[in-house]
């Protein structure tokens, strides 16, 4: 198992989680399909029953841990069936009736449903926006602070280190949703978080064909509680999905470099157009979040957001695109975009576009978007 924190991201991504080389054995063993394992006599060893653990998960979990916290042997990662399964595992394993949790008011659009369920369980939910570190104002007495930075879909950024220090001073745990940044863009545990949580469905695996989530944690007791929740709920990934995810990690650095460069190229091309408003990308030097993002992020992600004047204009724009799929996810090698308001749940206008830059040639992608914008204006 690779431990060096000094090697480059590309080298780490292609080697992460691989078992020791054995003659005549594959470098990445195939998926292990097993509901049960041979278990004569006393119960011992790591693998007993398929809901508890699986060798294919083990390789993937080690790989993600090496990306989230290079060189840190005390870090554990747990994989889940989806990003929401991972989020739910942290929330419901750490909170009980009477506790207070602080959530972002501008986070992932499923959070209103999460808030309803938490409230039904007797947990007090407070919310505040991501921007301006506004969650600081509602921390008093909290058991858990949930941070989403950059926020989805608005792309605001908060100071993770500042918020984590304040939360710990109040006795609260800190979880950071690292989906949009990925471990190559941001390492929440190094910034003081107790949990780094993400949907591996997005840029981590990057091909739009896997549902996956994970939780990475440095504290053994906290990890055990999340693991217990996974066992109880059974929100586990299939071995094929876990194996495909591990295989996909090998190209993460290559994909991230191209996709993030494409996002910046697109943002720069859109910056001076007078037919859009509210352009956001943390990598733009004049973006409101850039200063904080540059202090804690190593890459700024593949998502750009902007607003067209009306719903009709936004729908014409989406229809005019030829290299971009109209889809609700992000982070894939093929560019996607959507008029986000169609789902409800997000506090955005009817013309708000969330755009995920893929790995196309940048000139082709930018040209397609600019042409679609021109056609939509007619």
């Amino acid at each position: 198992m690779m431990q060096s924190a000094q090697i480059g991201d590309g080298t780490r991504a292609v080697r992460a989680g691989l078992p020791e080389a054995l003659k005549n054995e594959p470098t990445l063993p195939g998926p292990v399909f097993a509901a049960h394992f041979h278990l004569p006599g006393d119960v011992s060893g790591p693998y007993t029953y398929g809901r508890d653990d699986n060798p294919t998960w083990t390789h993937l979990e080690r790989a993600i841990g090496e990306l989230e916290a290079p060189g840190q042997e005390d870090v554990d990662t747990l994989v889940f069936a989806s990003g929401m399964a991972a989020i739910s595992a942290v929330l419901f394993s750490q909170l009980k009736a009477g506790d207070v949790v602080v959530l972002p008011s501008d986070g992932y659009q499923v959070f209103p449903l999460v808030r309803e369920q938490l409230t039904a369980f007797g947990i007090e939910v407070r919310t505040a926006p991501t921007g301006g570190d506004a969650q600081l104002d509602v921390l008093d007495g909290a058991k858990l602070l949930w941070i989403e930075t950059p926020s989805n879909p608005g792309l605001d950024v908060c100071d993770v280190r500042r918020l984590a220090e304040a939360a710990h001073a109040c006795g609260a745990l800190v979880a950071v949703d690292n989906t949009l940044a990925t471990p190559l863009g941001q390492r929440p545990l190094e910034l003081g978080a107790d949990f780094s949580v993400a949907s591996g469905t997005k840029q981590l695996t990057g091909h739009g064909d896997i549902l996956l989530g994970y939780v990475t944690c440095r504290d053994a007791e906290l990890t055990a509680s999340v693991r217990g929740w996974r066992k109880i709920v059974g929100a586990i990934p299939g071995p094929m999905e876990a194996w495909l995810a591990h295989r996909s990690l090998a190209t993460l650095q290559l994909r991230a470099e191209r996709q993030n460069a494409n996002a910046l190229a697109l943002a720069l091309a859109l910056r001076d157009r007078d037919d859009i408003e509210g352009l956001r990308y943390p990598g733009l030097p004049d973006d409101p979040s850039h200063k904080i993002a540059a202090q804690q992020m190593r890459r700024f992600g593949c998502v750009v957001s902007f607003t067209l004047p009306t719903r009709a204009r936004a729908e014409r724009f989406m229809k005019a695109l030829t290299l971009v799929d109209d889809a609700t996810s992000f982070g894939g090698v093929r560019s996607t975009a959507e008029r986000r308001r169609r789902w409800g749940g997000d506090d955005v206008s009817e013309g708000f576009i969330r755009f995920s830059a893929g790995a196309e040639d940048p000139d082709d992608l930018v040209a397609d978007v600019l042409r679609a914008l021109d056609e939509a204006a007619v």
Side-chain angles (χ1 to χ4, degrees):
M1 178 175 166
M2 181 179 52
Q3 296 295 341
S4 173
Q6 305 305 317
I7 61 175
D9 286 340
T11 303
R12 182 175 295 108
V14 301
R15 303 297 304 179
L18 298 182
E20 289 196 25
L22 296 175
K23 186 176 181 179
N24 300 325
E25 293 293 325
T27 53
L28 177 60
V32 175
F33 298 98
H36 58 265
F37 301 82
H38 286 297
L39 201 65
D42 294 336
V43 176
S44 63
Y47 306 111
T48 59
Y49 186 65
R51 191 180 70 250
D52 299 335
D53 228 325
N54 178 289
T56 310
W57 303 353
T58 299
H59 296 313
L60 175 60
E61 289 170 342
R62 288 174 178 170
I64 294 173
E66 289 171 17
L67 297 176
E68 283 279 352
Q72 302 298 310
E73 297 186 25
D74 59 344
V75 167
D76 287 308
T77 295
L78 301 171
V79 290
F80 290 83
S82 68
M84 279 309 304
I87 289 171
S88 299
V90 173
L91 291 171
F92 293 108
S93 69
Q94 303 307 310
L95 298 169
K96 63 182 186 302
D99 286 340
V100 175
V101 62
V102 176
L103 302 179
S105 60
D106 55 346
Y108 182 45
Q109 58 124 351
V110 178
F111 267 120
L113 296 177
V114 173
R115 179 175 185 169
E116 288 181 15
Q117 190 62 65
L118 290 167
T119 302
F121 286 168
I123 297 163
E124 179 184 343
V125 180
R126 302 173 187 164
T127 61
T130 299
D133 299 342
Q135 290 174 304
L136 286 172
D137 296 332
V138 292
L139 272 179
D140 188 43
K143 173 69 179 299
L144 176 67
L145 166 65
W146 192 277
I147 296 171
E148 186 177 290
T149 182
S151 62
N152 173 26
L155 302 181
D156 272 324
V157 173
C158 60
D159 188 333
V160 176
R161 193 179 301 278
R162 181 188 182 199
L163 283 163
E165 289 176 354
H168 289 154
C170 294
L173 297 170
V174 179
V176 175
D177 187 326
N178 206 33
T179 301
L180 203 147
T182 82
L184 297 194
Q186 181 172 263
R187 295 175 184 155
L189 299 186
E190 293 182 0
L191 297 171
D194 299 291
F195 302 98
S196 182
V197 187
S199 169
T201 307
K202 309 302 192 295
Q203 193 175 25
L204 188 82
T205 57
H207 292 81
D209 53 8
I210 300 170
L211 289 176
L212 192 84
Y214 71 85
V215 177
T216 301
C217 181
R218 182 174 284 118
D219 183 281
E221 186 175 343
L222 294 177
T223 300
S225 63
V226 177
R227 186 188 301 275
W229 182 261
R230 183 178 70 176
K231 178 181 176 71
I232 293 169
V233 176
I236 58 172
M240 191 66 192
E241 286 78 5
W243 184 84
L244 287 170
H246 197 168
R247 185 192 66 168
S248 297
L249 289 185
T251 60
L252 175 57
Q253 188 263 354
L254 297 172
R255 291 185 281 105
E257 287 296 314
R258 169 58 74 88
Q259 291 174 252
N260 295 5
N262 279 356
L264 179 59
L266 178 61
L268 289 169
L270 297 177
R271 186 163 53 176
D272 296 325
R273 289 188 67 103
D274 57 9
D275 55 348
I276 68 170
E277 297 178 350
L279 174 66
R280 296 299 305 271
Y281 181 64
L284 282 174
D286 55 352
D287 186 271
S289 293
H290 181 73
K291 181 177 180 180
I292 296 174
Q295 293 171 359
Q296 65 189 24
M297 299 182 72
R298 297 157 57 240
R299 294 175 175 84
F300 299 108
C302 62
V303 178
V304 177
S305 67
F306 55 91
T307 301
L308 293 172
T310 64
R311 170 177 176 170
R313 178 83 69 90
E315 290 176 343
R316 290 198 300 271
F317 166 70
M318 292 300 306
K319 188 174 182 180
L321 292 166
T322 60
L323 296 180
V324 182
D325 296 331
D326 191 337
T328 191
S329 193
F330 62 85
V333 291
R334 290 174 288 277
S335 291
T336 60
E338 69 172 332
R339 190 184 67 83
R340 188 66 183 164
R341 183 67 179 177
R342 64 181 177 172
W343 296 102
D346 292 313
D347 186 18
V348 295
S349 66
E350 291 286 357
F352 182 93
I353 301 293
R354 185 182 70 180
F355 192 103
S356 172
E360 298 87 358
D361 287 318
D363 289 346
D364 295 336
L365 182 61
V366 170
D368 189 47
V369 172
L370 296 182
R371 178 197 51 75
L373 285 171
D374 290 341
E375 291 185 13
V378 176

